[in-house]
Amino acid sequence: MPIDPSIAIGAEVGEVTFSWSESDVLLYHLALGAGANPVDERELRYATERDLRVLPTFATVAATFHSTRPPAVSLPGVEIDLAKVVHGTQSVTAHRPLPAAGKATARTRILDVLDKGKAAVIVQETTATDQDGSPLWTAQSSIFARGEGGFGGTRGSSDKVPPPSREPDAVIDTPTLPQQALLYRLCGDRNPLHSDPAFAKAAGFEVPILHGLCTYGVVAKAVTDAMLDADVHRIGSFSAKFAGIVLPGETLRTRIWREPDRLVLTTCAVERDEAPVLSDASLTL
């Protein structure tokens, strides 16, 4: 049986100690499209060592940044074919500004395994601390495994973040590059779904798709630039549900609503009749 919730739920996935450098952060930012205007001082805070500031979404790649093998979905009580898996949700809470270079220890556990009937959802939480034991970030993510449901688990609740019933306070369009996925895979995610046309087709996609976490980072940067004057230190957390795929080269349109302590947003793909990409998304300040 590929999923056994009695083993999986609450299981400790493991502990890993890792380090990162300014060059890792710079490559991550460039893989999100930073530096498109190389004379803009705000862009240079992402793309050069001078006054380098780390987008908190770097937390999603920091521990595996130097990985060169495709990821495997092999967890306690969970064995799933990689071709069946897409990202479901992601959140990162930054407990303080991330250093441009450092060393940390991450501990991951499985919070829940949900049975959606035709699919399974595996929810994980990772906490990262620095060498002194001080918290750096907490990340929660879920993966959606097609065809792996029906094992008798609970469906779980649905955490909705509906946008206000008024016109958005801002609408921003962000282009992606045709080679965006090939750039982003250098940040440690070598899943062939994002680079191998034959693998993508076998998984049910016409062409390789953009990494969900790349979309997540691109939107976080775009919203930070547009609404927070590119000040990444003002971000408390960013969470989103992956509502659909992005094809490299598409334009992302993000609608943003201001609330007292957060920004609520949705993102769609312009070229496919504004197909939903991110939903139930919020950036807390």
Side-chain angles (χ1 to χ4, degrees), residues 211-234:
H211 305 70
L213 286 180
C214 182
T215 302
Y216 177 80
V218 168
V219 172
K221 177 184 179 299
V223 173
T224 302
D225 293 347
M227 308 300 285
L228 306 179
D229 194 31
D231 185 358
V232 300
H233 295 167
R234 294 181 63 190

Side-chain angles (χ1 to χ4, degrees), residues 57-221:
T57 55
F58 178 73
T60 62
V61 301
T64 57
F65 197 91
H66 298 287
S67 176
T68 58
R69 295 183 178 181
V73 188
S74 181
L75 306 167
V78 177
E79 292 287 342
I80 300 174
D81 181 356
L82 183 62
K84 296 181 178 180
V85 171
V86 293
H87 222 102
T89 61
Q90 181 69 53
S91 71
V92 169
T93 298
H95 301 298
R96 55 188 168 95
L98 273 57
K103 187 173 183 179
T105 298
R107 298 171 178 85
T108 301
R109 64 191 179 103
I110 300 175
L111 291 184
D112 211 348
V113 179
L114 306 176
D115 188 345
K116 299 296 186 179
K118 294 183 179 181
V121 175
I122 296 92
V123 185
Q124 299 180 73
E125 180 180 77
T126 298
T127 57
T129 56
D130 65 14
Q131 292 179 283
D132 296 327
S134 300
L136 286 169
W137 66 77
T138 300
Q140 280 195 17
S141 64
S142 69
I143 56 173
F144 187 88
R146 295 169 294 169
E148 296 293 342
F151 53 84
T154 61
R155 288 189 61 86
S157 60
S158 180
D159 298 324
K160 294 289 187 182
V161 185
S165 56
R166 57 180 172 82
E167 289 298 307
D169 296 296
V171 179
I172 54 176
D173 285 356
T174 309
T176 64
L177 299 171
Q179 68 270 35
Q180 198 92 51
L182 300 178
L183 280 168
Y184 188 83
R185 70 191 295 271
L186 300 181
C187 299
D189 189 341
R190 302 295 178 95
N191 186 340
L193 179 63
H194 309 295
S195 60
D196 185 336
F199 187 95
K201 191 171 287 289
F205 301 100
E206 287 299 314
V207 296
I209 62 176
L210 193 60
H211 305 70
L213 286 180
C214 182
T215 302
Y216 177 80
V218 168
V219 172
K221 177 184 179 299

